[in-house]
Amino acid sequence: KVKKLMWSRLSGNSPQTYFAIIKAFVKKYSDCIDETKPTENMKAKRMPSENVFLTEDEINRIEAYADALDKKQGHQAEKDALNAFLVECFCGARGIDVSNFTEESIVDGYLVYVSQKTKVLSKVPIHPKIAERILRKPSKAHNPSSMNRTVKRVAKKVGITQPTTIFYRGKLRTLP
């Protein structure tokens, strides 16, 4: 039942990751469990994952929208989401890493940081388009899901609506 629930509610390879964590826990504390094979059915096959990329023109449209928005009052959550998104686009960092950038992250024209997810040191030349955006701090902490929805809404506003077929939650789906 747990396996079916995970596959129906989680996306991509999340069930595989969760099963690995549960199995490690059960193995560590197996002396407390009465069953002979408690993790026998906790197997998840690796699901294919796809990446969808924006074109340079599409990124430029989002950037132009963000620049116009910067000149307006209010809309702070949208400004914060687009700023983080553009920094991610031009330096390849994940959102969690962008939120941790400080002045110390900038060394001789490079962005230097250790990825929170992979623990790998990255040294990336600072793209001129984001040099002044890197150290902008958000007005408050935002939920990553909310920020992602904001970027999707902006993409739609600037005409990025090309249908794309992706493997999503175990099925092929065509979404904008």
Side-chain angles (χ1 to χ4, degrees), residues 4 27 61 71-72 95 129 133 140 153 160:
K4 281 184 180 182
K27 185 177 180 180
R61 284 191 261 164
K71 296 172 184 157
K72 295 179 181 177
K129 287 189 170 189
R133 290 184 181 275
K140 65 175 190 165
R153 248 190 332 271
I160 302 171

Side-chain angles (χ1 to χ4, degrees), residues 10-169:
L10 301 172
S11 63
N13 292 311
S14 296
Q16 183 181 19
T17 302
Y18 291 153
F19 284 142
I21 293 167
I22 293 167
K23 287 169 92 172
F25 176 84
V26 169
K27 185 177 180 180
K28 184 173 184 176
Y29 298 103
S30 60
D31 57 328
C32 303
I33 299 172
D34 293 337
E35 285 186 54
T36 54
K37 297 180 181 178
T39 62
E40 184 175 25
N41 291 321
M42 287 190 193
K43 293 180 181 156
K45 60 185 177 200
R46 184 139 178 87
M47 301 295 281
S49 59
E50 296 181 52
N51 294 316
V52 178
F53 300 96
L54 295 175
T55 66
E56 191 173 341
D57 173 63
E58 291 168 334
I59 293 169
N60 288 338
R61 284 191 261 164
I62 291 173
E63 184 180 25
Y65 180 91
D67 289 343
L69 191 63
D70 283 340
K71 296 172 184 157
K72 295 179 181 177
Q73 293 287 353
H75 306 278
Q76 200 54 50
E78 195 172 29
K79 289 177 184 178
D80 293 344
L82 293 177
N83 185 66
F85 174 77
L86 288 168
V87 172
E88 291 169 26
C89 277
F90 286 104
C91 73
R94 291 178 180 84
I96 185 68
D97 296 324
V98 169
S99 65
N100 291 329
F101 290 162
T102 63
E103 280 189 42
E104 289 77 33
S105 304
I106 300 172
V107 180
D108 297 328
Y110 286 87
L111 190 57
V112 181
Y113 65 97
V114 175
S115 167
Q116 294 295 305
K117 181 176 181 180
T118 63
K119 307 298 186 234
V120 172
L121 176 69
S122 295
K123 184 177 180 182
V124 183
I126 295 175
H127 194 287
K129 287 189 170 189
I130 61 154
E132 54 86 29
R133 290 184 181 275
I134 289 174
L135 296 178
R136 282 190 200 171
K137 291 297 169 198
S139 57
K140 65 175 190 165
H142 298 283
N143 178 309
S145 296
S146 173
M147 291 179 72
N148 288 339
R149 282 191 302 273
T150 298
V151 171
K152 287 178 184 179
R153 248 190 332 271
V154 169
K156 195 173 188 178
K157 284 181 186 178
V158 300
I160 302 171
T161 57
Q162 178 72 30
T164 304
T165 301
I166 60 170
F167 194 73
Y168 179 76
R169 292 192 174 186

